[in-house]
Amino acid sequence: MAEYPKDGQKITVQDGKMVVPDNPILGYVEGDGIGPDITRACLRVWDAAVKKAYNGTRKVHWMELFMGEKAAEKFGGNYFPPETLELMKEVVVSIKGPLTTPVGGGFRSLNVALRQDLDLYACVRPVRYYEGVPSPLKRPEEIDVIIFRENTEDVYAGIEYQSGTAEAEKLDVFLRTELKAKGFFEKSGLGIKPISAFGSKRLVRKAIQYAIEHKRESVTIVHKGNIMKFTEGAFRNWAYEVAREEFAEHIITEEELYSKYNGKQPEGKIVIKDRIADIMFQLMLLRPSEFDVIATMNLNGDFLSDAIAAEVGGVGIAPGANIGDNIAVFEATHGTAPKYANQDKVNPGSLLFSGVDMLEYLGWKEAAALIVAAYPEVLKRKFVTYDFARQMDGATEVSTSRFADEIIKQIESMGDATEVQARRTKAIQQERKQREDLRVAKPMEQMVASGRTPHTVGDIMAMSLVTVRPNVTVEEAMHLMRKNRISSLIVQPDDDSNDWGIMTQTDVLVKIIHANRSPAAVKVGQIATKPVRAVPSDTSLHDCVTSMTEGNIRRVVVEKNGVPIGIVSDTDVFRTVEEFGWLPAE
Ligand code: NAP
């Protein structure tokens, strides 16, 4: 019953890539409750932006698709008719308002059904600040992230059994007797958390592809792998695997950023890093500018996207999309707010910005940029819907449609939106540079402050090595150590061997003072320990300490290609474990 528009062409997919004509047919679902109000308003704004940006050479041909209550009326009670599913596949890109989930048994949530039936495995939620939007943060402008939340697995897979049922009892017995599982009370409700390599990798792949295409700075993998090793920990490992195996020329890891590049991010490379989920919430409040693209599992992503959205204006303006392999359904992230239905009252921001992301997804960046630039201008004049008006002094409360009129007026009066975009790009670059300078100047301090948990010697090593030739006198070497406030020196190989050595304060005490020799008469090469005990930078802290214990030494040298690049002492390991804790391997 949905009808194709008279004009327009369908988007096609060739060799896995979308081909977007200048007159694409896009689907839209009006939605329930406040859906029709916001959809009507947004369609006008998107069309105005496209018209202004391309002078009429590009135009969207909209096709209404039916889901929710409107579908139920037309399709004899069917809230999600099969034809809508098919048409969403055919038109490739659609946008939808919020939908009511019918109450009563036997209904899947329409949104869940949509994700599952179209295999839209990535829930993509960009969150950024727009000037003038009320925010509880001191510097909300630092927030500009895009969250890729896995949409199909995790505890949302629906494999759970109610306490006291035969199924829960059966699973309980199986876990205790067959798998010898412990640590849960009898008659618990039980749920299963499936996390697969397939599901994790396709999500992370999408996040990295996005980061590359949009020249973003980093991709952060958020997980709770320190506790749930084989689900969340595995997600982290698979994420790094996909990054290394499929995007080697585009990425570096955060470990390499410090160990190989001394904190300087090479041009054009994206840093892959990971953070523990609970710390991430804190970091998004305290150091949000360090995060960019975020990739995480279903439950973490659910919490995190709402929490970050709340930092910059709440769900009223947070956009979202569910994306699979090419097929994408953009959507308002809030619900149907039934008490405001048909009052022309609510904020169209969430759907509006979902449309902005949709335009970017099509590659129509200029039209998207116009809306992004127009929005804060209208806010500056304090023309806002009721939800912002109640948080702003001196605001003029306007209706949904009036707000859209103001945005359109602004778009039509604007010059080149690329200028606004260029200013923003410049500000982001400056801010990145400042952070880089700090990383270079104070690597350990910055690493700790940025919430990274050190895992390897490369993470905690001191890079300020002082090396000397073996024929330098011990006296000279001692002056050098005092001047640099260090307790050991690295000794270069002599003519006879390629072995590097190390001379420590203890060597001086034992082999010079205790042995009653003159430091001016003894050469460093004569008392240095050779060859130095060295480990590669990816050595775990556990293996590093094993090496120290076996060699009865207090420090190891970190090497790369046979050349020392850093040094780790027992004090460094002690401090790290004191600060970050220690999870013994099982
Ligand atoms: P909701 O519809 O999101 O509304 C909760 C509150 O959020 C509203 O009362 C309003 O706050 C505020 N709000 C939501 N959208 C707004 C907008 N555009 N502008 C300004 N304020 C906005 O959540 P709900 O009441 O829990 O859910 C209602 C229905 O929506 C349910 O049937 C649920 O299943 C469905 N739902 C659908 C989706 C979806 O389709 N994606 C998502 C979530 C929920 P104030 O009262 O403070 O003004």
Side-chain angles (χ1 to χ4, degrees), residues 34 38 96-101 111 115 315-316 331-340 346-350 385-387 390:
I34 54 173
I38 56 174
K96 67 176 257 303
L99 296 167
T100 312
T101 292
N111 293 311
R115 285 168 205 169
V315 292
E331 64 174 5
T333 52
H334 51 71
T336 56
K339 66 181 176 187
Y340 297 125
V346 297
N347 193 337
S350 175
T385 45
Y386 84 95
D387 53 324
R390 67 188 172 190

PDB file of all heavy atoms in Angstrom, residues 34 38 96-101 111 115 315-316 331-340 346-350 385-387 390, ligand 1:
ATOM      1  N   ILE A  34       4.196  11.697  19.119  1.00  0.00           N
ATOM      2  CA  ILE A  34       4.715  12.968  18.592  1.00  0.00           C
ATOM      3  C   ILE A  34       5.357  12.802  17.210  1.00  0.00           C
ATOM      4  O   ILE A  34       5.786  13.777  16.599  1.00  0.00           O
ATOM      5  CB  ILE A  34       5.761  13.582  19.561  1.00  0.00           C
ATOM      6  CG1 ILE A  34       6.875  12.549  19.873  1.00  0.00           C
ATOM      7  CG2 ILE A  34       5.113  14.083  20.829  1.00  0.00           C
ATOM      8  CD1 ILE A  34       8.024  13.110  20.683  1.00  0.00           C
ATOM      9  N   ILE A  38       6.938  15.836  14.525  1.00  0.00           N
ATOM     10  CA  ILE A  38       8.375  16.085  14.280  1.00  0.00           C
ATOM     11  C   ILE A  38       8.763  15.693  12.853  1.00  0.00           C
ATOM     12  O   ILE A  38       9.603  16.338  12.241  1.00  0.00           O
ATOM     13  CB  ILE A  38       9.296  15.395  15.335  1.00  0.00           C
ATOM     14  CG1 ILE A  38       9.051  13.888  15.429  1.00  0.00           C
ATOM     15  CG2 ILE A  38       9.154  16.033  16.696  1.00  0.00           C
ATOM     16  CD1 ILE A  38      10.039  13.168  16.351  1.00  0.00           C
ATOM     17  N   LYS A  96      13.017   7.080  10.512  1.00  0.00           N
ATOM     18  CA  LYS A  96      11.736   6.824  11.180  1.00  0.00           C
ATOM     19  C   LYS A  96      11.563   7.620  12.461  1.00  0.00           C
ATOM     20  O   LYS A  96      12.521   7.882  13.193  1.00  0.00           O
ATOM     21  CB  LYS A  96      11.569   5.324  11.466  1.00  0.00           C
ATOM     22  CG  LYS A  96      12.534   4.758  12.473  1.00  0.00           C
ATOM     23  CD  LYS A  96      12.238   3.316  12.776  1.00  0.00           C
ATOM     24  CE  LYS A  96      11.552   3.106  14.093  1.00  0.00           C
ATOM     25  NZ  LYS A  96      12.223   3.625  15.279  1.00  0.00           N
ATOM     26  N   GLY A  97      10.320   7.973  12.735  1.00  0.00           N
ATOM     27  CA  GLY A  97       9.955   8.588  14.005  1.00  0.00           C
ATOM     28  C   GLY A  97       9.808   7.492  15.057  1.00  0.00           C
ATOM     29  O   GLY A  97       9.951   6.303  14.759  1.00  0.00           O
ATOM     30  N   PRO A  98       9.499   7.877  16.297  1.00  0.00           N
ATOM     31  CA  PRO A  98       9.367   6.873  17.353  1.00  0.00           C
ATOM     32  C   PRO A  98       8.105   6.026  17.185  1.00  0.00           C
ATOM     33  O   PRO A  98       7.136   6.481  16.584  1.00  0.00           O
ATOM     34  CB  PRO A  98       9.271   7.726  18.618  1.00  0.00           C
ATOM     35  CG  PRO A  98       8.721   9.033  18.154  1.00  0.00           C
ATOM     36  CD  PRO A  98       9.241   9.247  16.776  1.00  0.00           C
ATOM     37  N   LEU A  99       8.145   4.819  17.717  1.00  0.00           N
ATOM     38  CA  LEU A  99       7.008   3.909  17.569  1.00  0.00           C
ATOM     39  C   LEU A  99       6.560   3.377  18.919  1.00  0.00           C
ATOM     40  O   LEU A  99       7.389   3.095  19.785  1.00  0.00           O
ATOM     41  CB  LEU A  99       7.409   2.718  16.686  1.00  0.00           C
ATOM     42  CG  LEU A  99       7.778   3.060  15.243  1.00  0.00           C
ATOM     43  CD1 LEU A  99       8.457   1.884  14.576  1.00  0.00           C
ATOM     44  CD2 LEU A  99       6.540   3.490  14.468  1.00  0.00           C
ATOM     45  N   THR A 100       5.266   3.228  19.065  1.00  0.00           N
ATOM     46  CA  THR A 100       4.729   2.640  20.293  1.00  0.00           C
ATOM     47  C   THR A 100       4.869   1.126  20.189  1.00  0.00           C
ATOM     48  O   THR A 100       4.566   0.550  19.153  1.00  0.00           O
ATOM     49  CB  THR A 100       3.215   2.922  20.395  1.00  0.00           C
ATOM     50  OG1 THR A 100       3.012   4.293  20.131  1.00  0.00           O
ATOM     51  CG2 THR A 100       2.674   2.543  21.749  1.00  0.00           C
ATOM     52  N   THR A 101       5.336   0.527  21.257  1.00  0.00           N
ATOM     53  CA  THR A 101       5.312  -0.930  21.272  1.00  0.00           C
ATOM     54  C   THR A 101       3.960  -1.328  21.843  1.00  0.00           C
ATOM     55  O   THR A 101       3.632  -0.951  22.974  1.00  0.00           O
ATOM     56  CB  THR A 101       6.443  -1.483  22.147  1.00  0.00           C
ATOM     57  OG1 THR A 101       7.661  -1.181  21.491  1.00  0.00           O
ATOM     58  CG2 THR A 101       6.335  -2.975  22.323  1.00  0.00           C
ATOM     59  N   ASN A 111      11.036  -1.909  17.327  1.00  0.00           N
ATOM     60  CA  ASN A 111      12.425  -1.536  17.050  1.00  0.00           C
ATOM     61  C   ASN A 111      13.335  -2.747  17.059  1.00  0.00           C
ATOM     62  O   ASN A 111      14.247  -2.862  16.244  1.00  0.00           O
ATOM     63  CB  ASN A 111      12.893  -0.503  18.070  1.00  0.00           C
ATOM     64  CG  ASN A 111      12.153   0.800  17.885  1.00  0.00           C
ATOM     65  OD1 ASN A 111      12.066   1.300  16.777  1.00  0.00           O
ATOM     66  ND2 ASN A 111      11.568   1.309  18.956  1.00  0.00           N
ATOM     67  N   ARG A 115      15.524  -4.248  13.836  1.00  0.00           N
ATOM     68  CA  ARG A 115      16.958  -4.537  13.891  1.00  0.00           C
ATOM     69  C   ARG A 115      17.239  -5.975  13.513  1.00  0.00           C
ATOM     70  O   ARG A 115      18.161  -6.272  12.753  1.00  0.00           O
ATOM     71  CB  ARG A 115      17.495  -4.289  15.303  1.00  0.00           C
ATOM     72  CG  ARG A 115      17.634  -2.842  15.618  1.00  0.00           C
ATOM     73  CD  ARG A 115      17.892  -2.600  17.079  1.00  0.00           C
ATOM     74  NE  ARG A 115      17.441  -1.259  17.410  1.00  0.00           N
ATOM     75  CZ  ARG A 115      17.324  -0.775  18.623  1.00  0.00           C
ATOM     76  NH1 ARG A 115      17.613  -1.524  19.664  1.00  0.00           N
ATOM     77  NH2 ARG A 115      16.910   0.449  18.821  1.00  0.00           N
ATOM     78  N   VAL A 315      18.006  13.293  25.489  1.00  0.00           N
ATOM     79  CA  VAL A 315      17.484  12.523  24.351  1.00  0.00           C
ATOM     80  C   VAL A 315      16.654  13.379  23.398  1.00  0.00           C
ATOM     81  O   VAL A 315      16.446  12.982  22.258  1.00  0.00           O
ATOM     82  CB  VAL A 315      16.652  11.315  24.822  1.00  0.00           C
ATOM     83  CG1 VAL A 315      17.510  10.275  25.493  1.00  0.00           C
ATOM     84  CG2 VAL A 315      15.509  11.739  25.726  1.00  0.00           C
ATOM     85  N   GLY A 316      16.203  14.530  23.868  1.00  0.00           N
ATOM     86  CA  GLY A 316      15.396  15.392  22.996  1.00  0.00           C
ATOM     87  C   GLY A 316      16.103  15.752  21.700  1.00  0.00           C
ATOM     88  O   GLY A 316      15.466  15.972  20.682  1.00  0.00           O
ATOM     89  N   GLU A 331      16.887   7.192  13.005  1.00  0.00           N
ATOM     90  CA  GLU A 331      15.690   7.285  13.859  1.00  0.00           C
ATOM     91  C   GLU A 331      15.851   8.316  14.968  1.00  0.00           C
ATOM     92  O   GLU A 331      16.961   8.642  15.380  1.00  0.00           O
ATOM     93  CB  GLU A 331      15.397   5.930  14.503  1.00  0.00           C
ATOM     94  CG  GLU A 331      16.491   5.477  15.444  1.00  0.00           C
ATOM     95  CD  GLU A 331      16.163   4.205  16.209  1.00  0.00           C
ATOM     96  OE1 GLU A 331      15.121   3.603  15.963  1.00  0.00           O
ATOM     97  OE2 GLU A 331      16.991   3.825  17.058  1.00  0.00           O
ATOM     98  N   ALA A 332      14.692   8.785  15.443  1.00  0.00           N
ATOM     99  CA  ALA A 332      14.690   9.590  16.661  1.00  0.00           C
ATOM    100  C   ALA A 332      14.987   8.622  17.794  1.00  0.00           C
ATOM    101  O   ALA A 332      14.506   7.490  17.787  1.00  0.00           O
ATOM    102  CB  ALA A 332      13.313  10.211  16.858  1.00  0.00           C
ATOM    103  N   THR A 333      15.781   9.051  18.778  1.00  0.00           N
ATOM    104  CA  THR A 333      16.143   8.101  19.834  1.00  0.00           C
ATOM    105  C   THR A 333      15.177   8.146  21.015  1.00  0.00           C
ATOM    106  O   THR A 333      15.191   7.272  21.850  1.00  0.00           O
ATOM    107  CB  THR A 333      17.577   8.367  20.347  1.00  0.00           C
ATOM    108  OG1 THR A 333      17.665   9.744  20.695  1.00  0.00           O
ATOM    109  CG2 THR A 333      18.592   8.048  19.283  1.00  0.00           C
ATOM    110  N   HIS A 334      14.335   9.177  21.074  1.00  0.00           N
ATOM    111  CA  HIS A 334      13.374   9.219  22.176  1.00  0.00           C
ATOM    112  C   HIS A 334      12.125   8.426  21.792  1.00  0.00           C
ATOM    113  O   HIS A 334      12.006   7.931  20.660  1.00  0.00           O
ATOM    114  CB  HIS A 334      13.001  10.667  22.506  1.00  0.00           C
ATOM    115  CG  HIS A 334      12.576  11.439  21.298  1.00  0.00           C
ATOM    116  ND1 HIS A 334      11.378  11.210  20.666  1.00  0.00           N
ATOM    117  CD2 HIS A 334      13.198  12.418  20.598  1.00  0.00           C
ATOM    118  CE1 HIS A 334      11.279  12.024  19.631  1.00  0.00           C
ATOM    119  NE2 HIS A 334      12.370  12.757  19.559  1.00  0.00           N
ATOM    120  N   GLY A 335      11.189   8.324  22.744  1.00  0.00           N
ATOM    121  CA  GLY A 335       9.960   7.579  22.481  1.00  0.00           C
ATOM    122  C   GLY A 335       8.871   8.454  21.883  1.00  0.00           C
ATOM    123  O   GLY A 335       9.146   9.541  21.345  1.00  0.00           O
ATOM    124  N   THR A 336       7.638   7.998  22.024  1.00  0.00           N
ATOM    125  CA  THR A 336       6.517   8.656  21.347  1.00  0.00           C
ATOM    126  C   THR A 336       5.903   9.780  22.186  1.00  0.00           C
ATOM    127  O   THR A 336       4.983  10.455  21.717  1.00  0.00           O
ATOM    128  CB  THR A 336       5.417   7.624  21.056  1.00  0.00           C
ATOM    129  OG1 THR A 336       5.057   7.000  22.302  1.00  0.00           O
ATOM    130  CG2 THR A 336       5.899   6.557  20.098  1.00  0.00           C
ATOM    131  N   ALA A 337       6.390   9.942  23.419  1.00  0.00           N
ATOM    132  CA  ALA A 337       5.879  10.981  24.345  1.00  0.00           C
ATOM    133  C   ALA A 337       4.389  11.235  24.132  1.00  0.00           C
ATOM    134  O   ALA A 337       3.993  12.354  23.763  1.00  0.00           O
ATOM    135  CB  ALA A 337       6.698  12.263  24.197  1.00  0.00           C
ATOM    136  N   PRO A 338       3.522  10.233  24.367  1.00  0.00           N
ATOM    137  CA  PRO A 338       2.112  10.331  23.958  1.00  0.00           C
ATOM    138  C   PRO A 338       1.385  11.551  24.530  1.00  0.00           C
ATOM    139  O   PRO A 338       0.490  12.094  23.874  1.00  0.00           O
ATOM    140  CB  PRO A 338       1.490   9.029  24.473  1.00  0.00           C
ATOM    141  CG  PRO A 338       2.533   8.315  25.255  1.00  0.00           C
ATOM    142  CD  PRO A 338       3.855   8.963  25.018  1.00  0.00           C
ATOM    143  N   LYS A 339       1.822  12.014  25.700  1.00  0.00           N
ATOM    144  CA  LYS A 339       1.079  13.151  26.278  1.00  0.00           C
ATOM    145  C   LYS A 339       1.223  14.426  25.447  1.00  0.00           C
ATOM    146  O   LYS A 339       0.452  15.367  25.612  1.00  0.00           O
ATOM    147  CB  LYS A 339       1.497  13.386  27.731  1.00  0.00           C
ATOM    148  CG  LYS A 339       2.920  13.839  27.913  1.00  0.00           C
ATOM    149  CD  LYS A 339       3.240  14.027  29.401  1.00  0.00           C
ATOM    150  CE  LYS A 339       4.704  14.392  29.575  1.00  0.00           C
ATOM    151  NZ  LYS A 339       5.151  14.446  30.927  1.00  0.00           N
ATOM    152  N   TYR A 340       2.204  14.466  24.572  1.00  0.00           N
ATOM    153  CA  TYR A 340       2.389  15.653  23.735  1.00  0.00           C
ATOM    154  C   TYR A 340       1.931  15.437  22.285  1.00  0.00           C
ATOM    155  O   TYR A 340       2.141  16.310  21.429  1.00  0.00           O
ATOM    156  CB  TYR A 340       3.865  16.064  23.712  1.00  0.00           C
ATOM    157  CG  TYR A 340       4.414  16.476  25.056  1.00  0.00           C
ATOM    158  CD1 TYR A 340       5.542  15.857  25.590  1.00  0.00           C
ATOM    159  CD2 TYR A 340       3.827  17.497  25.789  1.00  0.00           C
ATOM    160  CE1 TYR A 340       6.061  16.228  26.815  1.00  0.00           C
ATOM    161  CE2 TYR A 340       4.337  17.881  27.020  1.00  0.00           C
ATOM    162  CZ  TYR A 340       5.450  17.252  27.532  1.00  0.00           C
ATOM    163  OH  TYR A 340       5.956  17.629  28.737  1.00  0.00           O
ATOM    164  N   VAL A 346       6.807  19.515  20.727  1.00  0.00           N
ATOM    165  CA  VAL A 346       8.091  18.960  21.193  1.00  0.00           C
ATOM    166  C   VAL A 346       9.264  19.357  20.303  1.00  0.00           C
ATOM    167  O   VAL A 346       9.103  19.893  19.210  1.00  0.00           O
ATOM    168  CB  VAL A 346       8.035  17.412  21.283  1.00  0.00           C
ATOM    169  CG1 VAL A 346       7.015  16.969  22.305  1.00  0.00           C
ATOM    170  CG2 VAL A 346       7.779  16.804  19.915  1.00  0.00           C
ATOM    171  N   ASN A 347      10.431  19.004  20.805  1.00  0.00           N
ATOM    172  CA  ASN A 347      11.688  19.329  20.138  1.00  0.00           C
ATOM    173  C   ASN A 347      11.926  18.352  18.972  1.00  0.00           C
ATOM    174  O   ASN A 347      11.986  17.145  19.195  1.00  0.00           O
ATOM    175  CB  ASN A 347      12.799  19.180  21.186  1.00  0.00           C
ATOM    176  CG  ASN A 347      14.102  19.774  20.739  1.00  0.00           C
ATOM    177  OD1 ASN A 347      14.341  19.925  19.553  1.00  0.00           O
ATOM    178  ND2 ASN A 347      14.942  20.098  21.701  1.00  0.00           N
ATOM    179  N   PRO A 348      12.086  18.850  17.784  1.00  0.00           N
ATOM    180  CA  PRO A 348      12.341  17.918  16.665  1.00  0.00           C
ATOM    181  C   PRO A 348      13.819  17.552  16.526  1.00  0.00           C
ATOM    182  O   PRO A 348      14.198  16.855  15.575  1.00  0.00           O
ATOM    183  CB  PRO A 348      11.872  18.728  15.450  1.00  0.00           C
ATOM    184  CG  PRO A 348      12.152  20.146  15.841  1.00  0.00           C
ATOM    185  CD  PRO A 348      11.994  20.245  17.338  1.00  0.00           C
ATOM    186  N   GLY A 349      14.656  18.002  17.476  1.00  0.00           N
ATOM    187  CA  GLY A 349      16.119  17.892  17.332  1.00  0.00           C
ATOM    188  C   GLY A 349      16.646  16.485  17.065  1.00  0.00           C
ATOM    189  O   GLY A 349      17.521  16.292  16.220  1.00  0.00           O
ATOM    190  N   SER A 350      16.119  15.506  17.785  1.00  0.00           N
ATOM    191  CA  SER A 350      16.657  14.152  17.644  1.00  0.00           C
ATOM    192  C   SER A 350      16.463  13.644  16.211  1.00  0.00           C
ATOM    193  O   SER A 350      17.402  13.153  15.571  1.00  0.00           O
ATOM    194  CB  SER A 350      15.963  13.220  18.635  1.00  0.00           C
ATOM    195  OG  SER A 350      16.384  11.904  18.429  1.00  0.00           O
ATOM    196  N   THR A 385      11.943  25.072  21.695  1.00  0.00           N
ATOM    197  CA  THR A 385      10.731  24.369  22.116  1.00  0.00           C
ATOM    198  C   THR A 385      10.685  24.301  23.648  1.00  0.00           C
ATOM    199  O   THR A 385      11.677  24.597  24.322  1.00  0.00           O
ATOM    200  CB  THR A 385      10.674  22.959  21.498  1.00  0.00           C
ATOM    201  OG1 THR A 385      11.949  22.341  21.638  1.00  0.00           O
ATOM    202  CG2 THR A 385      10.293  23.015  20.031  1.00  0.00           C
ATOM    203  N   TYR A 386       9.566  23.831  24.177  1.00  0.00           N
ATOM    204  CA  TYR A 386       9.301  23.926  25.619  1.00  0.00           C
ATOM    205  C   TYR A 386      10.398  23.326  26.494  1.00  0.00           C
ATOM    206  O   TYR A 386      10.716  23.841  27.566  1.00  0.00           O
ATOM    207  CB  TYR A 386       7.959  23.232  25.931  1.00  0.00           C
ATOM    208  CG  TYR A 386       8.116  21.734  26.117  1.00  0.00           C
ATOM    209  CD1 TYR A 386       8.265  21.188  27.385  1.00  0.00           C
ATOM    210  CD2 TYR A 386       8.187  20.887  25.013  1.00  0.00           C
ATOM    211  CE1 TYR A 386       8.455  19.825  27.552  1.00  0.00           C
ATOM    212  CE2 TYR A 386       8.383  19.537  25.175  1.00  0.00           C
ATOM    213  CZ  TYR A 386       8.523  19.006  26.436  1.00  0.00           C
ATOM    214  OH  TYR A 386       8.743  17.678  26.604  1.00  0.00           O
ATOM    215  N   ASP A 387      10.987  22.208  26.030  1.00  0.00           N
ATOM    216  CA  ASP A 387      11.947  21.489  26.865  1.00  0.00           C
ATOM    217  C   ASP A 387      13.216  22.298  27.108  1.00  0.00           C
ATOM    218  O   ASP A 387      13.787  22.263  28.200  1.00  0.00           O
ATOM    219  CB  ASP A 387      12.294  20.126  26.228  1.00  0.00           C
ATOM    220  CG  ASP A 387      12.739  20.264  24.783  1.00  0.00           C
ATOM    221  OD1 ASP A 387      12.198  21.118  24.071  1.00  0.00           O
ATOM    222  OD2 ASP A 387      13.631  19.514  24.360  1.00  0.00           O
ATOM    223  N   ARG A 390      12.392  25.719  29.280  1.00  0.00           N
ATOM    224  CA  ARG A 390      12.331  25.646  30.743  1.00  0.00           C
ATOM    225  C   ARG A 390      13.714  25.600  31.386  1.00  0.00           C
ATOM    226  O   ARG A 390      13.839  25.716  32.592  1.00  0.00           O
ATOM    227  CB  ARG A 390      11.450  24.464  31.184  1.00  0.00           C
ATOM    228  CG  ARG A 390      12.014  23.101  30.866  1.00  0.00           C
ATOM    229  CD  ARG A 390      11.017  21.984  31.154  1.00  0.00           C
ATOM    230  NE  ARG A 390      11.542  20.725  30.653  1.00  0.00           N
ATOM    231  CZ  ARG A 390      10.861  19.612  30.573  1.00  0.00           C
ATOM    232  NH1 ARG A 390       9.600  19.557  30.955  1.00  0.00           N
ATOM    233  NH2 ARG A 390      11.417  18.508  30.117  1.00  0.00           N
TER     234      ARG A 390
HETATM  235  P1  NAP B   1       9.565   9.090  25.734  1.00  0.00           P
HETATM  236  O1  NAP B   1       8.477   8.938  24.745  1.00  0.00           O
HETATM  237  O2  NAP B   1      10.931   9.268  25.185  1.00  0.00           O
HETATM  238  O3  NAP B   1       9.196  10.308  26.665  1.00  0.00           O
HETATM  239  C1  NAP B   1       9.739  10.547  27.933  1.00  0.00           C
HETATM  240  C2  NAP B   1       9.909  12.028  28.171  1.00  0.00           C
HETATM  241  O4  NAP B   1      11.042  12.497  27.454  1.00  0.00           O
HETATM  242  C3  NAP B   1       8.762  12.914  27.677  1.00  0.00           C
HETATM  243  O5  NAP B   1       7.698  12.933  28.565  1.00  0.00           O
HETATM  244  C4  NAP B   1       9.486  14.243  27.574  1.00  0.00           C
HETATM  245  O6  NAP B   1       9.823  14.771  28.855  1.00  0.00           O
HETATM  246  C5  NAP B   1      10.821  13.822  26.997  1.00  0.00           C
HETATM  247  N1  NAP B   1      10.833  13.839  25.527  1.00  0.00           N
HETATM  248  C6  NAP B   1      10.794  12.774  24.670  1.00  0.00           C
HETATM  249  N2  NAP B   1      10.862  13.188  23.397  1.00  0.00           N
HETATM  250  C7  NAP B   1      10.951  14.528  23.436  1.00  0.00           C
HETATM  251  C8  NAP B   1      11.068  15.533  22.441  1.00  0.00           C
HETATM  252  N3  NAP B   1      11.109  15.231  21.138  1.00  0.00           N
HETATM  253  N4  NAP B   1      11.134  16.812  22.829  1.00  0.00           N
HETATM  254  C9  NAP B   1      11.113  17.128  24.123  1.00  0.00           C
HETATM  255  N5  NAP B   1      11.013  16.240  25.109  1.00  0.00           N
HETATM  256  C10 NAP B   1      10.950  14.947  24.779  1.00  0.00           C
HETATM  257  O7  NAP B   1       9.629   7.822  26.697  1.00  0.00           O
HETATM  258  P2  NAP B   1       8.471   6.931  27.329  1.00  0.00           P
HETATM  259  O8  NAP B   1       7.389   7.831  27.837  1.00  0.00           O
HETATM  260  O9  NAP B   1       9.151   6.025  28.256  1.00  0.00           O
HETATM  261  O10 NAP B   1       7.921   6.066  26.141  1.00  0.00           O
HETATM  262  C11 NAP B   1       6.694   6.309  25.452  1.00  0.00           C
HETATM  263  C12 NAP B   1       6.525   5.288  24.328  1.00  0.00           C
HETATM  264  O11 NAP B   1       7.595   5.380  23.399  1.00  0.00           O
HETATM  265  C13 NAP B   1       6.474   3.825  24.765  1.00  0.00           C
HETATM  266  O12 NAP B   1       5.447   3.182  24.040  1.00  0.00           O
HETATM  267  C14 NAP B   1       7.818   3.254  24.330  1.00  0.00           C
HETATM  268  O13 NAP B   1       7.722   1.888  24.020  1.00  0.00           O
HETATM  269  C15 NAP B   1       8.082   4.065  23.107  1.00  0.00           C
HETATM  270  N6  NAP B   1       9.519   4.205  22.779  1.00  0.00           N
HETATM  271  C16 NAP B   1       9.857   4.160  21.478  1.00  0.00           C
HETATM  272  C17 NAP B   1      11.174   4.362  21.077  1.00  0.00           C
HETATM  273  C18 NAP B   1      11.491   4.321  19.618  1.00  0.00           C
HETATM  274  O14 NAP B   1      10.625   4.141  18.802  1.00  0.00           O
HETATM  275  N7  NAP B   1      12.756   4.503  19.236  1.00  0.00           N
HETATM  276  C19 NAP B   1      12.159   4.606  22.039  1.00  0.00           C
HETATM  277  C20 NAP B   1      11.789   4.679  23.387  1.00  0.00           C
HETATM  278  C21 NAP B   1      10.466   4.483  23.744  1.00  0.00           C
HETATM  279  P3  NAP B   1       8.924  15.758  29.764  1.00  0.00           P
HETATM  280  O15 NAP B   1       7.756  14.959  30.237  1.00  0.00           O
HETATM  281  O16 NAP B   1       9.863  16.097  30.854  1.00  0.00           O
HETATM  282  O17 NAP B   1       8.514  16.929  28.953  1.00  0.00           O
END
